[in-house]
Amino acid sequence: MKKIVIIGIGNILLKDDGIGIHIINELNKLKDDKELKEIEFIDGGTSTLDMLKHFQENDIVIIIDALRSGLKPGTIYKLKPEDINDTILCDLSIHDVQIVDIVKLANIMGYNPKIIIFGIEPKNIGYGIEISEELLNKTYEFIVIIKKEISLFFNSV
């Protein structure tokens, strides 16, 4: 069976930047769901460089983060690490850049998990712990997308 980890990244003290952590917290509440029982959920905070071990220990790494690209707040993106280099993103956050660095480091060390990055366009990034209504309204849709992605991995075994 493939080992899967889902890592939420962001700063919960900067409003929508904390959406990755918020989604991880919601997924943890669903831990008894059949599709999620074998999945590890990690609150990666803002220190993505500490996440290298998860790239070494898992076959599939799913990253959840706020990703600013200039589209409508709440827009959900699905990317591979190489897309970050190929996509024109205004105001790319520091942890998105670190994800690419971790992937490169893991590859150099001989680890090549499949990596999917799910981002969501933030509305507000600034001091505060509130997630914008636009992102809160997308939480269920985001979880459905992640569950579908997980089922694709398990069905491809």
Side-chain angles (χ1 to χ4, degrees), residues 48-49 51-52 55 98-107:
T48 55
L49 292 175
M51 296 293 111
L52 180 60
F55 288 73
Q98 288 177 351
I99 290 168
V100 174
D101 292 337
I102 292 172
V103 171
K104 288 177 184 175
L105 183 56
N107 291 164

Side-chain angles (χ1 to χ4, degrees), residues 10-28:
N11 187 335
I12 59 168
L13 301 177
L14 294 177
K15 296 186 178 185
D16 288 351
D17 189 60
I19 191 67
I21 310 307
H22 175 75
I23 297 293
I24 287 297
N25 291 338
E26 291 301 312
L27 286 166
N28 267 319

Side-chain angles (χ1 to χ4, degrees), residues 89-105:
L89 299 171
C90 64
D91 196 22
L92 187 65
S93 77
I94 189 65
H95 26 96
D96 298 317
V97 174
Q98 288 177 351
I99 290 168
V100 174
D101 292 337
I102 292 172
V103 171
K104 288 177 184 175
L105 183 56

Side-chain angles (χ1 to χ4, degrees), residues 3-55:
K3 285 184 66 181
I4 300 175
V5 64
I6 301 177
I7 304 172
I9 297 175
N11 187 335
I12 59 168
L13 301 177
L14 294 177
K15 296 186 178 185
D16 288 351
D17 189 60
I19 191 67
I21 310 307
H22 175 75
I23 297 293
I24 287 297
N25 291 338
E26 291 301 312
L27 286 166
N28 267 319
K29 293 175 186 176
L30 303 173
K31 196 71 169 136
D32 291 333
D33 280 14
K34 182 180 160 191
E35 306 101 335
L36 302 176
K37 255 190 184 329
E38 303 298 320
I39 310 295
E40 184 177 10
F41 302 110
I42 302 293
D43 175 343
T46 59
S47 185
T48 55
L49 292 175
D50 292 338
M51 296 293 111
L52 180 60
K53 72 176 183 173
H54 299 293
F55 288 73

